[in-house]
Amino acid sequence: MWFSEPISGPKLDVVDIAVEPHVDGKYPIIDAHGPRSISISLMDAPFDWSWFQRNEHGVSFDRLEWLTLVSAKIDYAPTVHGRLSGAQFPQLVHLCMSNVVFSTIDPMCLINSPVQCVELVGPVIHMPSFDWTQLTHLHTLKFNFGYVGVEQMKNNFIARSNRLFEHLRGTMDVCVQLFSSSRVTWSDVYWPRVTRMEVVGMSEMVNVLKAALQVPDLVYLGFTLLKLNEDNISRVLSFLCNIQNEHEQMVESKLKTVVVRARKDMVCGKLTKAFESLKWYYPGLEHLALTNLDPKFLK
């Protein structure tokens, strides 16, 4: 059902909007003052910021703490109409934008907000160049590049990502997540300011481990292993078992934690034991864990 009057009420703390094609062309008008959480999922129909009720001063999301804007169109089609400017977010602490161009929200709207965490999902080519130090309360900045395969490499993934992180300023934690493919030349990566990194896939595990100094501020490294084949296991085993004879210790590495997630039946005891050699490879390593894979990855 679509409403012509503002949707509001004292109990309306959470607003979830799934924007899908409809017949009658009517859109809801949402009172921005009430919700604490707004989640907007864009399917095959565009969303328009004018759905939020304005006053003479613009839009004020007085109680909003969590804003999520997700598009199912990974090609960054123009699924958002207009640009949200002149808005106020006096309580906002978490902003997540997935496959949506960051500039659909005027960054100036966020400067006076207590935003603590910003999460951006999508190809590196669409990641914004923004002075994050303007968000004085920001302590966590997350980039999820998705699958880094042929398409992203065609768009100069390495050069663009290097430039993105080289220009970052501030003291916030910078987190990166990606599904790595064999096309990523990790030896060419240089990601200063990145403190946490999550890599999905095993084919590039050895190259990622070798590239720790290419991410000089890294303190946490996590791997999610979806599939293990004999070739990958043999390559990782060879690297780990010969690490002290063929490689130098990474004494300059700041790495403190390495976590590997995999299904129990996919990891042999020999591989589990071999991971202990990472404590020699990274002298500053304090925590090494091999844990069960989160069930959500098995669906």
Side-chain angles (χ1 to χ4, degrees), residues 201-210 223 225 227-244 246-247 258 260 262 266-278 281 288 290:
M202 187 180 187
S203 62
E204 288 298 284
M205 177 181 278
V206 171
N207 290 334
V208 174
L209 291 170
K210 288 180 180 179
F223 291 97
L225 311 182
K227 295 180 180 179
L228 300 182
N229 57 46
E230 290 300 323
D231 288 341
N232 286 337
I233 291 176
S234 296
R235 186 163 178 253
V236 173
L237 269 175
S238 176
F239 170 72
L240 295 174
C241 293
N242 296 296
I243 201 168
Q244 295 189 37
E246 299 179 0
H247 300 275
V258 174
V260 181
M266 293 168 63
V267 182
C268 62
K270 188 183 294 185
L271 186 59
T272 303
K273 186 177 180 181
F275 273 112
E276 291 293 319
S277 63
L278 290 180
Y281 194 42
L288 176 65
L290 186 63

mmCIF file of all heavy atoms in Angstrom, residues 201-210 223 225 227-244 246-247 258 260 262 266-278 281 288 290:
data_model
loop_
_atom_site.group_PDB
_atom_site.id
_atom_site.type_symbol
_atom_site.label_atom_id
_atom_site.label_comp_id
_atom_site.label_asym_id
_atom_site.label_seq_id
_atom_site.Cartn_x
_atom_site.Cartn_y
_atom_site.Cartn_z
ATOM 1 N N GLY A 201 38.530 -16.232 -0.125
ATOM 2 C CA GLY A 201 39.171 -17.022 -1.164
ATOM 3 C C GLY A 201 40.560 -17.463 -0.746
ATOM 4 O O GLY A 201 41.277 -16.745 -0.047
ATOM 5 N N MET A 202 40.969 -18.670 -1.195
ATOM 6 C CA MET A 202 42.260 -19.214 -0.783
ATOM 7 C C MET A 202 43.323 -19.098 -1.854
ATOM 8 O O MET A 202 44.515 -19.155 -1.561
ATOM 9 C CB MET A 202 42.109 -20.683 -0.388
ATOM 10 C CG MET A 202 43.377 -21.289 0.209
ATOM 11 S SD MET A 202 43.170 -23.006 0.672
ATOM 12 C CE MET A 202 44.723 -23.312 1.512
ATOM 13 N N SER A 203 42.936 -18.934 -3.112
ATOM 14 C CA SER A 203 43.899 -19.009 -4.205
ATOM 15 C C SER A 203 45.017 -17.990 -4.056
ATOM 16 O O SER A 203 46.141 -18.208 -4.509
ATOM 17 C CB SER A 203 43.188 -18.818 -5.555
ATOM 18 O OG SER A 203 42.597 -17.538 -5.629
ATOM 19 N N GLU A 204 44.720 -16.863 -3.381
ATOM 20 C CA GLU A 204 45.718 -15.810 -3.246
ATOM 21 C C GLU A 204 46.256 -15.685 -1.827
ATOM 22 O O GLU A 204 46.910 -14.684 -1.504
ATOM 23 C CB GLU A 204 45.116 -14.476 -3.696
ATOM 24 C CG GLU A 204 44.910 -14.365 -5.190
ATOM 25 C CD GLU A 204 46.239 -14.473 -5.932
ATOM 26 O OE1 GLU A 204 47.009 -13.511 -5.943
ATOM 27 O OE2 GLU A 204 46.506 -15.564 -6.491
ATOM 28 N N MET A 205 46.033 -16.687 -0.983
ATOM 29 C CA MET A 205 46.448 -16.575 0.416
ATOM 30 C C MET A 205 47.949 -16.346 0.557
ATOM 31 O O MET A 205 48.395 -15.468 1.310
ATOM 32 C CB MET A 205 46.040 -17.816 1.208
ATOM 33 C CG MET A 205 46.522 -17.780 2.654
ATOM 34 S SD MET A 205 46.070 -19.244 3.586
ATOM 35 C CE MET A 205 44.397 -18.842 4.021
ATOM 36 N N VAL A 206 48.749 -17.101 -0.168
ATOM 37 C CA VAL A 206 50.200 -16.968 -0.054
ATOM 38 C C VAL A 206 50.641 -15.572 -0.458
ATOM 39 O O VAL A 206 51.455 -14.934 0.223
ATOM 40 C CB VAL A 206 50.922 -18.038 -0.905
ATOM 41 C CG1 VAL A 206 52.418 -17.764 -0.952
ATOM 42 C CG2 VAL A 206 50.654 -19.430 -0.336
ATOM 43 N N ASN A 207 50.114 -15.076 -1.575
ATOM 44 C CA ASN A 207 50.495 -13.742 -2.037
ATOM 45 C C ASN A 207 50.074 -12.654 -1.052
ATOM 46 O O ASN A 207 50.783 -11.659 -0.872
ATOM 47 C CB ASN A 207 49.897 -13.464 -3.417
ATOM 48 C CG ASN A 207 50.541 -14.299 -4.506
ATOM 49 O OD1 ASN A 207 51.700 -14.712 -4.384
ATOM 50 N ND2 ASN A 207 49.806 -14.567 -5.567
ATOM 51 N N VAL A 208 48.913 -12.827 -0.426
ATOM 52 C CA VAL A 208 48.454 -11.854 0.569
ATOM 53 C C VAL A 208 49.372 -11.881 1.791
ATOM 54 O O VAL A 208 49.766 -10.829 2.324
ATOM 55 C CB VAL A 208 46.998 -12.127 0.981
ATOM 56 C CG1 VAL A 208 46.582 -11.203 2.122
ATOM 57 C CG2 VAL A 208 46.061 -11.936 -0.206
ATOM 58 N N LEU A 209 49.730 -13.073 2.246
ATOM 59 C CA LEU A 209 50.629 -13.196 3.398
ATOM 60 C C LEU A 209 51.980 -12.546 3.117
ATOM 61 O O LEU A 209 52.563 -11.886 3.976
ATOM 62 C CB LEU A 209 50.817 -14.669 3.778
ATOM 63 C CG LEU A 209 49.598 -15.375 4.372
ATOM 64 C CD1 LEU A 209 49.845 -16.869 4.475
ATOM 65 C CD2 LEU A 209 49.259 -14.797 5.747
ATOM 66 N N LYS A 210 52.469 -12.708 1.907
ATOM 67 C CA LYS A 210 53.753 -12.111 1.528
ATOM 68 C C LYS A 210 53.672 -10.588 1.434
ATOM 69 O O LYS A 210 54.689 -9.902 1.547
ATOM 70 C CB LYS A 210 54.207 -12.660 0.173
ATOM 71 C CG LYS A 210 54.670 -14.112 0.184
ATOM 72 C CD LYS A 210 55.085 -14.507 -1.224
ATOM 73 C CE LYS A 210 55.560 -15.947 -1.290
ATOM 74 N NZ LYS A 210 55.944 -16.328 -2.679
ATOM 75 N N PHE A 223 41.043 -14.404 6.803
ATOM 76 C CA PHE A 223 40.776 -15.145 5.578
ATOM 77 C C PHE A 223 39.502 -15.954 5.758
ATOM 78 O O PHE A 223 39.288 -16.585 6.796
ATOM 79 C CB PHE A 223 41.918 -16.121 5.250
ATOM 80 C CG PHE A 223 43.199 -15.468 4.842
ATOM 81 C CD1 PHE A 223 44.206 -15.266 5.772
ATOM 82 C CD2 PHE A 223 43.412 -15.054 3.536
ATOM 83 C CE1 PHE A 223 45.404 -14.668 5.416
ATOM 84 C CE2 PHE A 223 44.600 -14.454 3.161
ATOM 85 C CZ PHE A 223 45.597 -14.255 4.096
ATOM 86 N N LEU A 225 37.844 -19.062 3.790
ATOM 87 C CA LEU A 225 38.153 -20.056 2.767
ATOM 88 C C LEU A 225 36.879 -20.808 2.395
ATOM 89 O O LEU A 225 36.387 -21.639 3.155
ATOM 90 C CB LEU A 225 39.217 -21.037 3.284
ATOM 91 C CG LEU A 225 40.460 -20.392 3.921
ATOM 92 C CD1 LEU A 225 41.457 -21.461 4.340
ATOM 93 C CD2 LEU A 225 41.102 -19.398 2.973
ATOM 94 N N LYS A 227 36.361 -22.642 -0.547
ATOM 95 C CA LYS A 227 36.660 -23.927 -1.178
ATOM 96 C C LYS A 227 38.151 -24.195 -1.106
ATOM 97 O O LYS A 227 38.964 -23.306 -1.357
ATOM 98 C CB LYS A 227 36.208 -23.942 -2.642
ATOM 99 C CG LYS A 227 34.718 -23.831 -2.845
ATOM 100 C CD LYS A 227 34.368 -23.853 -4.325
ATOM 101 C CE LYS A 227 32.865 -23.734 -4.536
ATOM 102 N NZ LYS A 227 32.507 -23.734 -5.978
ATOM 103 N N LEU A 228 38.489 -25.403 -0.744
ATOM 104 C CA LEU A 228 39.890 -25.808 -0.727
ATOM 105 C C LEU A 228 40.079 -26.963 -1.704
ATOM 106 O O LEU A 228 39.395 -27.965 -1.607
ATOM 107 C CB LEU A 228 40.311 -26.262 0.678
ATOM 108 C CG LEU A 228 40.186 -25.245 1.817
ATOM 109 C CD1 LEU A 228 40.689 -25.842 3.117
ATOM 110 C CD2 LEU A 228 40.974 -23.998 1.500
ATOM 111 N N ASN A 229 40.991 -26.800 -2.632
ATOM 112 C CA ASN A 229 41.335 -27.925 -3.491
ATOM 113 C C ASN A 229 42.778 -28.335 -3.209
ATOM 114 O O ASN A 229 43.519 -27.640 -2.513
ATOM 115 C CB ASN A 229 41.137 -27.583 -4.977
ATOM 116 C CG ASN A 229 41.929 -26.367 -5.413
ATOM 117 O OD1 ASN A 229 43.106 -26.246 -5.082
ATOM 118 N ND2 ASN A 229 41.305 -25.461 -6.149
ATOM 119 N N GLU A 230 43.182 -29.465 -3.751
ATOM 120 C CA GLU A 230 44.507 -30.011 -3.448
ATOM 121 C C GLU A 230 45.624 -29.068 -3.869
ATOM 122 O O GLU A 230 46.638 -28.937 -3.172
ATOM 123 C CB GLU A 230 44.675 -31.374 -4.122
ATOM 124 C CG GLU A 230 43.826 -32.471 -3.509
ATOM 125 C CD GLU A 230 44.156 -32.687 -2.037
ATOM 126 O OE1 GLU A 230 45.341 -32.597 -1.667
ATOM 127 O OE2 GLU A 230 43.222 -32.913 -1.250
ATOM 128 N N ASP A 231 45.461 -28.395 -5.000
ATOM 129 C CA ASP A 231 46.499 -27.472 -5.477
ATOM 130 C C ASP A 231 46.699 -26.324 -4.505
ATOM 131 O O ASP A 231 47.833 -25.952 -4.179
ATOM 132 C CB ASP A 231 46.133 -26.934 -6.863
ATOM 133 C CG ASP A 231 46.270 -27.983 -7.947
ATOM 134 O OD1 ASP A 231 46.972 -28.993 -7.695
ATOM 135 O OD2 ASP A 231 45.682 -27.801 -9.024
ATOM 136 N N ASN A 232 45.582 -25.741 -4.050
ATOM 137 C CA ASN A 232 45.689 -24.625 -3.112
ATOM 138 C C ASN A 232 46.297 -25.051 -1.784
ATOM 139 O O ASN A 232 47.140 -24.356 -1.216
ATOM 140 C CB ASN A 232 44.310 -24.008 -2.870
ATOM 141 C CG ASN A 232 43.833 -23.179 -4.042
ATOM 142 O OD1 ASN A 232 44.634 -22.699 -4.842
ATOM 143 N ND2 ASN A 232 42.525 -23.019 -4.161
ATOM 144 N N ILE A 233 45.846 -26.216 -1.286
ATOM 145 C CA ILE A 233 46.378 -26.720 -0.017
ATOM 146 C C ILE A 233 47.872 -26.979 -0.137
ATOM 147 O O ILE A 233 48.662 -26.613 0.745
ATOM 148 C CB ILE A 233 45.632 -27.999 0.419
ATOM 149 C CG1 ILE A 233 44.192 -27.647 0.819
ATOM 150 C CG2 ILE A 233 46.350 -28.660 1.588
ATOM 151 C CD1 ILE A 233 43.335 -28.843 1.173
ATOM 152 N N SER A 234 48.297 -27.591 -1.241
ATOM 153 C CA SER A 234 49.719 -27.900 -1.438
ATOM 154 C C SER A 234 50.558 -26.622 -1.497
ATOM 155 O O SER A 234 51.660 -26.572 -0.937
ATOM 156 C CB SER A 234 49.917 -28.698 -2.737
ATOM 157 O OG SER A 234 49.270 -29.942 -2.654
ATOM 158 N N ARG A 235 50.030 -25.612 -2.165
ATOM 159 C CA ARG A 235 50.776 -24.356 -2.295
ATOM 160 C C ARG A 235 50.932 -23.674 -0.940
ATOM 161 O O ARG A 235 52.008 -23.175 -0.597
ATOM 162 C CB ARG A 235 50.046 -23.431 -3.267
ATOM 163 C CG ARG A 235 50.808 -22.163 -3.583
ATOM 164 C CD ARG A 235 50.259 -21.506 -4.839
ATOM 165 N NE ARG A 235 50.958 -20.268 -5.122
ATOM 166 C CZ ARG A 235 50.462 -19.062 -4.963
ATOM 167 N NH1 ARG A 235 49.217 -18.925 -4.519
ATOM 168 N NH2 ARG A 235 51.161 -17.982 -5.243
ATOM 169 N N VAL A 236 49.850 -23.626 -0.165
ATOM 170 C CA VAL A 236 49.918 -23.002 1.155
ATOM 171 C C VAL A 236 50.830 -23.801 2.078
ATOM 172 O O VAL A 236 51.648 -23.235 2.819
ATOM 173 C CB VAL A 236 48.503 -22.862 1.758
ATOM 174 C CG1 VAL A 236 48.588 -22.370 3.198
ATOM 175 C CG2 VAL A 236 47.669 -21.907 0.928
ATOM 176 N N LEU A 237 50.713 -25.130 2.028
ATOM 177 C CA LEU A 237 51.577 -25.984 2.855
ATOM 178 C C LEU A 237 53.046 -25.780 2.520
ATOM 179 O O LEU A 237 53.900 -25.670 3.416
ATOM 180 C CB LEU A 237 51.204 -27.458 2.659
ATOM 181 C CG LEU A 237 50.153 -28.037 3.607
ATOM 182 C CD1 LEU A 237 49.818 -29.467 3.206
ATOM 183 C CD2 LEU A 237 50.649 -27.991 5.051
ATOM 184 N N SER A 238 53.365 -25.729 1.236
ATOM 185 C CA SER A 238 54.748 -25.542 0.812
ATOM 186 C C SER A 238 55.302 -24.212 1.335
ATOM 187 O O SER A 238 56.442 -24.147 1.816
ATOM 188 C CB SER A 238 54.829 -25.589 -0.714
ATOM 189 O OG SER A 238 56.134 -25.311 -1.158
ATOM 190 N N PHE A 239 54.493 -23.170 1.241
ATOM 191 C CA PHE A 239 54.927 -21.858 1.719
ATOM 192 C C PHE A 239 55.160 -21.875 3.220
ATOM 193 O O PHE A 239 56.206 -21.421 3.719
ATOM 194 C CB PHE A 239 53.876 -20.811 1.359
ATOM 195 C CG PHE A 239 54.103 -19.474 2.002
ATOM 196 C CD1 PHE A 239 55.134 -18.648 1.586
ATOM 197 C CD2 PHE A 239 53.279 -19.049 3.043
ATOM 198 C CE1 PHE A 239 55.343 -17.410 2.180
ATOM 199 C CE2 PHE A 239 53.481 -17.816 3.644
ATOM 200 C CZ PHE A 239 54.515 -16.992 3.218
ATOM 201 N N LEU A 240 54.196 -22.409 3.978
ATOM 202 C CA LEU A 240 54.291 -22.389 5.432
ATOM 203 C C LEU A 240 55.409 -23.284 5.959
ATOM 204 O O LEU A 240 56.130 -22.923 6.898
ATOM 205 C CB LEU A 240 52.950 -22.798 6.050
ATOM 206 C CG LEU A 240 51.772 -21.844 5.805
ATOM 207 C CD1 LEU A 240 50.480 -22.445 6.337
ATOM 208 C CD2 LEU A 240 52.026 -20.482 6.438
ATOM 209 N N CYS A 241 55.565 -24.461 5.362
ATOM 210 C CA CYS A 241 56.557 -25.418 5.851
ATOM 211 C C CYS A 241 57.996 -24.991 5.538
ATOM 212 O O CYS A 241 58.938 -25.402 6.214
ATOM 213 C CB CYS A 241 56.284 -26.805 5.266
ATOM 214 S SG CYS A 241 54.751 -27.549 5.868
ATOM 215 N N ASN A 242 58.160 -24.175 4.497
ATOM 216 C CA ASN A 242 59.509 -23.745 4.106
ATOM 217 C C ASN A 242 59.774 -22.276 4.427
ATOM 218 O O ASN A 242 60.759 -21.705 3.963
ATOM 219 C CB ASN A 242 59.707 -23.970 2.597
ATOM 220 C CG ASN A 242 59.638 -25.437 2.233
ATOM 221 O OD1 ASN A 242 60.463 -26.235 2.663
ATOM 222 N ND2 ASN A 242 58.632 -25.803 1.447
ATOM 223 N N ILE A 243 58.902 -21.707 5.208
ATOM 224 C CA ILE A 243 58.945 -20.262 5.413
ATOM 225 C C ILE A 243 60.251 -19.797 6.060
ATOM 226 O O ILE A 243 60.813 -18.769 5.709
ATOM 227 C CB ILE A 243 57.712 -19.827 6.236
ATOM 228 C CG1 ILE A 243 57.430 -18.348 6.043
ATOM 229 C CG2 ILE A 243 57.868 -20.146 7.716
ATOM 230 C CD1 ILE A 243 56.077 -17.914 6.592
ATOM 231 N N GLN A 244 60.776 -20.576 6.999
ATOM 232 C CA GLN A 244 61.989 -20.155 7.698
ATOM 233 C C GLN A 244 63.237 -20.314 6.850
ATOM 234 O O GLN A 244 64.245 -19.645 7.090
ATOM 235 C CB GLN A 244 62.144 -20.923 9.014
ATOM 236 C CG GLN A 244 61.045 -20.619 10.021
ATOM 237 C CD GLN A 244 61.328 -21.204 11.386
ATOM 238 O OE1 GLN A 244 62.475 -21.233 11.842
ATOM 239 N NE2 GLN A 244 60.291 -21.686 12.060
ATOM 240 N N GLU A 246 63.180 -20.107 3.331
ATOM 241 C CA GLU A 246 63.100 -19.387 2.062
ATOM 242 C C GLU A 246 62.698 -17.920 2.187
ATOM 243 O O GLU A 246 62.742 -17.179 1.208
ATOM 244 C CB GLU A 246 62.112 -20.098 1.131
ATOM 245 C CG GLU A 246 62.526 -21.536 0.810
ATOM 246 C CD GLU A 246 61.525 -22.224 -0.100
ATOM 247 O OE1 GLU A 246 60.522 -21.571 -0.464
ATOM 248 O OE2 GLU A 246 61.744 -23.403 -0.428
ATOM 249 N N HIS A 247 62.316 -17.485 3.385
ATOM 250 C CA HIS A 247 61.838 -16.113 3.539
ATOM 251 C C HIS A 247 62.445 -15.458 4.769
ATOM 252 O O HIS A 247 62.877 -16.137 5.704
ATOM 253 C CB HIS A 247 60.308 -16.087 3.637
ATOM 254 C CG HIS A 247 59.623 -16.661 2.441
ATOM 255 N ND1 HIS A 247 59.359 -15.926 1.308
ATOM 256 C CD2 HIS A 247 59.156 -17.919 2.194
ATOM 257 C CE1 HIS A 247 58.761 -16.699 0.411
ATOM 258 N NE2 HIS A 247 58.617 -17.907 0.929
ATOM 259 N N VAL A 258 45.939 -12.909 13.095
ATOM 260 C CA VAL A 258 45.568 -13.592 11.852
ATOM 261 C C VAL A 258 44.478 -14.601 12.185
ATOM 262 O O VAL A 258 44.652 -15.440 13.077
ATOM 263 C CB VAL A 258 46.765 -14.317 11.195
ATOM 264 C CG1 VAL A 258 46.294 -15.127 9.980
ATOM 265 C CG2 VAL A 258 47.839 -13.313 10.767
ATOM 266 N N VAL A 260 41.794 -17.409 10.389
ATOM 267 C CA VAL A 260 41.432 -18.175 9.197
ATOM 268 C C VAL A 260 40.131 -18.912 9.483
ATOM 269 O O VAL A 260 40.031 -19.666 10.452
ATOM 270 C CB VAL A 260 42.536 -19.188 8.818
ATOM 271 C CG1 VAL A 260 42.155 -19.947 7.558
ATOM 272 C CG2 VAL A 260 43.878 -18.467 8.629
ATOM 273 N N ALA A 262 37.290 -21.561 8.062
ATOM 274 C CA ALA A 262 37.058 -22.613 7.077
ATOM 275 C C ALA A 262 36.191 -23.698 7.702
ATOM 276 O O ALA A 262 36.081 -23.794 8.926
ATOM 277 C CB ALA A 262 38.382 -23.205 6.606
ATOM 278 N N MET A 266 37.241 -29.270 5.748
ATOM 279 C CA MET A 266 38.053 -28.807 4.630
ATOM 280 C C MET A 266 39.513 -28.579 5.013
ATOM 281 O O MET A 266 40.372 -28.398 4.159
ATOM 282 C CB MET A 266 37.480 -27.495 4.077
ATOM 283 C CG MET A 266 36.123 -27.644 3.417
ATOM 284 S SD MET A 266 35.327 -26.041 3.081
ATOM 285 C CE MET A 266 36.468 -25.320 1.928
ATOM 286 N N VAL A 267 39.775 -28.556 6.298
ATOM 287 C CA VAL A 267 41.131 -28.242 6.748
ATOM 288 C C VAL A 267 41.759 -29.465 7.419
ATOM 289 O O VAL A 267 41.251 -29.978 8.402
ATOM 290 C CB VAL A 267 41.116 -27.060 7.742
ATOM 291 C CG1 VAL A 267 42.531 -26.712 8.167
ATOM 292 C CG2 VAL A 267 40.453 -25.854 7.104
ATOM 293 N N CYS A 268 42.856 -29.935 6.865
ATOM 294 C CA CYS A 268 43.541 -31.095 7.421
ATOM 295 C C CYS A 268 44.419 -30.668 8.590
ATOM 296 O O CYS A 268 44.815 -29.507 8.709
ATOM 297 C CB CYS A 268 44.387 -31.785 6.351
ATOM 298 S SG CYS A 268 45.696 -30.746 5.673
ATOM 299 N N GLY A 269 44.741 -31.631 9.454
ATOM 300 C CA GLY A 269 45.561 -31.342 10.625
ATOM 301 C C GLY A 269 46.928 -30.800 10.256
ATOM 302 O O GLY A 269 47.486 -29.950 10.954
ATOM 303 N N LYS A 270 47.474 -31.297 9.152
ATOM 304 C CA LYS A 270 48.793 -30.848 8.711
ATOM 305 C C LYS A 270 48.780 -29.354 8.405
ATOM 306 O O LYS A 270 49.702 -28.618 8.728
ATOM 307 C CB LYS A 270 49.213 -31.631 7.471
ATOM 308 C CG LYS A 270 50.655 -31.371 7.035
ATOM 309 C CD LYS A 270 50.981 -32.131 5.765
ATOM 310 C CE LYS A 270 50.958 -33.629 5.997
ATOM 311 N NZ LYS A 270 51.398 -34.379 4.787
ATOM 312 N N LEU A 271 47.689 -28.875 7.777
ATOM 313 C CA LEU A 271 47.581 -27.464 7.432
ATOM 314 C C LEU A 271 47.421 -26.620 8.686
ATOM 315 O O LEU A 271 48.024 -25.552 8.821
ATOM 316 C CB LEU A 271 46.398 -27.240 6.490
ATOM 317 C CG LEU A 271 46.210 -25.832 5.911
ATOM 318 C CD1 LEU A 271 47.432 -25.412 5.114
ATOM 319 C CD2 LEU A 271 44.970 -25.776 5.036
ATOM 320 N N THR A 272 46.629 -27.123 9.626
ATOM 321 C CA THR A 272 46.425 -26.404 10.884
ATOM 322 C C THR A 272 47.742 -26.207 11.615
ATOM 323 O O THR A 272 48.053 -25.120 12.101
ATOM 324 C CB THR A 272 45.439 -27.173 11.788
ATOM 325 O OG1 THR A 272 44.210 -27.359 11.089
ATOM 326 C CG2 THR A 272 45.175 -26.409 13.071
ATOM 327 N N LYS A 273 48.540 -27.257 11.684
ATOM 328 C CA LYS A 273 49.839 -27.176 12.365
ATOM 329 C C LYS A 273 50.789 -26.241 11.632
ATOM 330 O O LYS A 273 51.553 -25.490 12.257
ATOM 331 C CB LYS A 273 50.452 -28.580 12.472
ATOM 332 C CG LYS A 273 51.732 -28.624 13.281
ATOM 333 C CD LYS A 273 52.238 -30.051 13.402
ATOM 334 C CE LYS A 273 53.524 -30.093 14.210
ATOM 335 N NZ LYS A 273 54.039 -31.493 14.325
ATOM 336 N N ALA A 274 50.726 -26.248 10.304
ATOM 337 C CA ALA A 274 51.647 -25.428 9.511
ATOM 338 C C ALA A 274 51.424 -23.941 9.736
ATOM 339 O O ALA A 274 52.369 -23.142 9.634
ATOM 340 C CB ALA A 274 51.494 -25.764 8.030
ATOM 341 N N PHE A 275 50.194 -23.565 10.049
ATOM 342 C CA PHE A 275 49.914 -22.145 10.268
ATOM 343 C C PHE A 275 50.698 -21.578 11.452
ATOM 344 O O PHE A 275 50.898 -20.370 11.546
ATOM 345 C CB PHE A 275 48.413 -21.923 10.476
ATOM 346 C CG PHE A 275 47.648 -21.721 9.200
ATOM 347 C CD1 PHE A 275 46.740 -22.672 8.756
ATOM 348 C CD2 PHE A 275 47.848 -20.586 8.432
ATOM 349 C CE1 PHE A 275 46.046 -22.500 7.570
ATOM 350 C CE2 PHE A 275 47.161 -20.399 7.243
ATOM 351 C CZ PHE A 275 46.257 -21.359 6.809
ATOM 352 N N GLU A 276 51.145 -22.451 12.352
ATOM 353 C CA GLU A 276 51.920 -21.984 13.496
ATOM 354 C C GLU A 276 53.196 -21.276 13.063
ATOM 355 O O GLU A 276 53.746 -20.448 13.799
ATOM 356 C CB GLU A 276 52.257 -23.164 14.415
ATOM 357 C CG GLU A 276 51.066 -23.746 15.147
ATOM 358 C CD GLU A 276 50.485 -22.776 16.172
ATOM 359 O OE1 GLU A 276 51.272 -22.111 16.869
ATOM 360 O OE2 GLU A 276 49.246 -22.669 16.244
ATOM 361 N N SER A 277 53.699 -21.588 11.860
ATOM 362 C CA SER A 277 54.932 -20.956 11.388
ATOM 363 C C SER A 277 54.762 -19.457 11.153
ATOM 364 O O SER A 277 55.756 -18.723 11.061
ATOM 365 C CB SER A 277 55.411 -21.632 10.096
ATOM 366 O OG SER A 277 54.460 -21.464 9.055
ATOM 367 N N LEU A 278 53.514 -19.005 11.061
ATOM 368 C CA LEU A 278 53.280 -17.576 10.885
ATOM 369 C C LEU A 278 53.747 -16.773 12.099
ATOM 370 O O LEU A 278 54.062 -15.583 11.990
ATOM 371 C CB LEU A 278 51.796 -17.297 10.619
ATOM 372 C CG LEU A 278 51.250 -17.767 9.264
ATOM 373 C CD1 LEU A 278 49.774 -17.424 9.152
ATOM 374 C CD2 LEU A 278 52.026 -17.144 8.107
ATOM 375 N N TYR A 281 57.128 -15.907 11.150
ATOM 376 C CA TYR A 281 57.143 -14.999 10.001
ATOM 377 C C TYR A 281 56.809 -13.572 10.423
ATOM 378 O O TYR A 281 57.422 -12.607 9.965
ATOM 379 C CB TYR A 281 56.138 -15.497 8.970
ATOM 380 C CG TYR A 281 56.256 -14.887 7.585
ATOM 381 C CD1 TYR A 281 57.489 -14.679 6.984
ATOM 382 C CD2 TYR A 281 55.101 -14.564 6.864
ATOM 383 C CE1 TYR A 281 57.582 -14.146 5.703
ATOM 384 C CE2 TYR A 281 55.189 -14.040 5.570
ATOM 385 C CZ TYR A 281 56.429 -13.832 5.002
ATOM 386 O OH TYR A 281 56.530 -13.318 3.736
ATOM 387 N N LEU A 288 46.707 -16.049 16.754
ATOM 388 C CA LEU A 288 46.520 -16.830 15.531
ATOM 389 C C LEU A 288 45.393 -17.818 15.773
ATOM 390 O O LEU A 288 45.426 -18.586 16.738
ATOM 391 C CB LEU A 288 47.811 -17.578 15.186
ATOM 392 C CG LEU A 288 47.777 -18.521 13.975
ATOM 393 C CD1 LEU A 288 47.536 -17.739 12.693
ATOM 394 C CD2 LEU A 288 49.087 -19.300 13.868
ATOM 395 N N LEU A 290 42.270 -20.491 13.943
ATOM 396 C CA LEU A 290 41.598 -21.194 12.849
ATOM 397 C C LEU A 290 40.215 -21.548 13.360
ATOM 398 O O LEU A 290 40.075 -22.342 14.293
ATOM 399 C CB LEU A 290 42.373 -22.457 12.469
ATOM 400 C CG LEU A 290 41.885 -23.223 11.246
ATOM 401 C CD1 LEU A 290 42.012 -22.371 9.993
ATOM 402 C CD2 LEU A 290 42.678 -24.504 11.071
#
